Amino acid sequence: MTQPQASVPEQDIAEARRVLGRRNLVFVGLMGAGKSAIGRLVAQMLDIPFVDSDHEIERVSRMSIPELFEAYGEPEFRALEARVIKRLLKTGPRVLSTGGGAFMNDASRTMMLANGLSVWLKADLDVLWTRVSKRETRPLLKTVNPRQTLSDLLDQRYPVYAQADLTVQSRDEAKETIAAEAIAAIARFITDQEKASPS
């Protein structure tokens, strides 16, 4: 497997690692925003482990996400998701990508904000729809008008995602470019905070 080709300054990588410390870097956002793809690249660039909460849920339950939704419904799935995320946040640093609804759960969101550095991968509707319409494995989009459902989710969730520590725009660029921008944003995070506080 080839290493990512994006030129990320070594000082950004070193500073991003310093900013994280022992915390986890948590990617949040709607389905199709690129949380797993970008998260995996960022983990490679920072040389820390990567974990996808959806994959971890499937591993511990031995069921797929669509099967869990069908068998138990969304509330039970969210409760399981919150338990898995709580466990994953206990050790770090690592990069954690979460399902689209995870940050909407009050308990999960509180844990992520308290125990990690959260990055919202923000994408517009057209970008998201182009990506998610290629796969039929999204339980929340099994509706009469899935694009409208996605648009409704965007309206409901974006004000909540905006509570994340950082926002990085996900768009039709190389994954390496978005990952490099995420690392640059993390590297600047403490500096921005320090600027905001009186010396």
Side-chain angles (χ1 to χ4, degrees), residues 25-29 33-35 38 42 118-124 131 158 161 164-171 175-188:
L25 180 64
V26 185
F27 280 96
V28 304
K35 299 181 298 290
I38 303 302
V42 168
S118 51
V119 179
W120 173 23
L121 279 180
K122 182 180 183 181
D124 66 31
R131 293 173 181 174
Y158 274 25
Y161 291 152
D165 296 306
L166 295 163
T167 301
V168 173
Q169 193 71 33
S170 180
R171 57 202 188 279
K175 293 191 295 271
E176 291 80 9
T177 301
I178 311 298
E181 289 174 4
I183 288 175
I186 298 157
R188 288 194 307 268

Side-chain angles (χ1 to χ4, degrees), residues 22 39 43 46 52 57 74 98 102 113 119 135 145 159-160 191 199:
R22 302 299 305 164
L46 295 179
D52 181 304
I57 290 163
E74 188 173 1
T98 61
L113 291 172
V119 179
R135 296 167 61 192
N145 187 342
V160 179
T191 313
S199 51

Side-chain angles (χ1 to χ4, degrees), residues 31 54 58 64-67 69 132-142:
M31 60 185 89
D54 279 354
E58 290 180 337
S64 71
I65 302 294
E67 286 169 346
F69 263 81
V132 301
S133 60
K134 295 170 185 167
R135 296 167 61 192
E136 293 186 2
T137 56
R138 310 285 187 175
L140 295 180
L141 294 185
K142 292 190 181 301

